[in-house]
Amino acid sequence: MRIDILCLFPAMFVSPFSHSIVRRAEERGLVEVVTHDIRDFAHDRHATVDDYPYGGGAGMVLKPEPVVEGVEHVRQLVGTADSPVILLTPAGRLFTQRIAADLSVLSHFTLVCGHYEGVDERVAEHVATDELSIGDYVLTGGELAAMVMVDAVVRLVPGVLGSDQSTVDESHSAGLLEYPQYTRPEEYRGWRVPSVLLTGNHAGIAAWRRNQSILKTACRRPELLDDIALSDKERAWISESLSNRK
Ligand code: ADE
């Protein structure tokens, strides 16, 4: 997989991508991440990439030419006319584990990091194939959002993590939050590991874990349960557990 990132601060990516799982994936030849400075595609010798908004208002807007021509440069380099071009913006669709999984099987995509008050809308209209946000808050730029997305996608690329199982059970992979995990010691300061986990009864442990996942999701992120097929028994059990907690 190759990921190209167009941004104003390529240096921001050096440290995160040289320590994490991304580095391991690159070393193993599974992933290549290439950053590009949008300023290199500016038209004037001052490398101007932003300008005042038409219609007035605060802040500056990223000009269309350097972004569009940066994307064209990437398309030429990679030899692709139709791989996704994703604009990172707080006004985008919410980036989820589902989207990360969909991106993890592609051979190429491009991320465009917005800045200032935003990016000239013609980029979204004519060049970007999608607009994504990593959450309902505003960052100073898309670089941090791109790092988050690359991390979430790269760890799902087959072969990047040691055991395939490790992405199956985790939070969000089945639409539920992950059940609680414990390791040794069995008792610490009087705090005991739930006894079912010590039984070796695999069916009992699996049932406990599913119940814990469902309960945690019902407490913290009830909206996620809308997309989950729960049995009547599970629904009744959730209501009872939640009312016992009150
Ligand atoms: N740029 C600024 N805020 C952002 C966000 N929440 N997600 C993606 N890109 C952004």
Side-chain angles (χ1 to χ4, degrees):
M1 164 187 286
R2 173 169 168 150
I3 304 171
D4 285 84
I5 302 173
L6 283 157
C7 64
L8 288 176
F9 300 103
M12 284 177 72
F13 292 89
V14 174
S15 178
F17 288 176
S18 57
H19 294 291
S20 62
I21 206 109
V22 177
R23 172 171 165 184
R24 247 186 33 210
E26 288 205 281
E27 283 172 353
R28 291 207 214 139
L30 296 167
V31 172
E32 185 183 9
V33 183
V34 184
T35 55
H36 309 266
D37 190 337
I38 291 173
R39 276 184 207 285
D40 291 344
F41 305 96
H43 282 187
D44 63 331
R45 62 189 178 88
H46 302 293
T48 309
V49 292
D50 59 332
D51 207 336
Y52 296 100
Y54 275 121
M60 302 293 273
V61 175
L62 199 53
K63 293 163 69 60
E65 316 92 302
V67 178
V68 171
E69 287 158 43
V71 170
E72 284 168 354
H73 171 77
V74 166
R75 288 218 181 281
Q76 256 183 358
L77 273 182
V78 182
T80 156
D82 57 5
S83 61
V85 175
I86 300 164
L87 180 61
L88 300 179
T89 158
R93 292 193 298 140
L94 190 63
F95 176 66
T96 60
Q97 189 70 14
R98 176 74 252 158
I99 297 175
D102 290 345
L103 292 173
S104 74
V105 297
L106 300 182
S107 57
H108 179 248
F109 62 90
T110 302
L111 299 177
V112 178
C113 304
H115 247 276
Y116 311 118
E117 282 308 298
V119 182
D120 187 288
E121 187 67 15
R122 287 167 287 188
V123 171
E125 286 171 352
H126 302 288
V127 175
T129 57
D130 206 347
E131 295 175 71
L132 295 177
S133 163
I134 62 160
D136 292 340
Y137 40 78
V138 180
L139 303 166
T140 51
E143 283 84 358
L144 287 167
M147 289 174 210
V148 167
M149 280 185 58
V150 168
D151 190 276
V153 170
V154 165
R155 63 190 291 286
L156 297 179
V157 170
V160 168
L161 291 189
S163 139
D164 284 344
Q165 186 61 24
S166 45
T167 64
V168 171
D169 279 347
E170 64 195 9
S171 288
H172 299 292
S173 65
L176 293 170
L177 302 185
E178 197 188 15
Y179 47 80
Q181 297 275 21
Y182 297 87
T183 186
R184 282 179 284 195
E186 198 178 309
E187 183 178 340
Y188 170 64
R189 297 191 176 182
W191 305 328
R192 296 194 57 80
V193 171
S195 54
V196 62
L197 298 178
L198 310 174
T199 59
N201 169 359
H202 296 300
I205 292 170
W208 181 85
R209 285 179 165 168
R210 171 143 175 109
N211 284 345
Q212 291 295 314
S213 271
I214 292 171
L215 193 58
K216 197 184 259 192
T217 309
C219 288
R220 298 182 182 174
R221 300 288 305 279
E223 78 283 4
L224 296 178
L225 291 178
D226 295 346
D227 299 328
I228 301 291
L230 296 176
S231 66
D232 290 345
K233 207 170 136 194
E234 284 172 331
R235 286 193 190 281
W237 177 78
I238 293 172
S239 309
E240 193 193 319
S241 307
L242 290 180
S243 61
N244 286 343
R245 287 189 167 208
K246 282 172 194 151

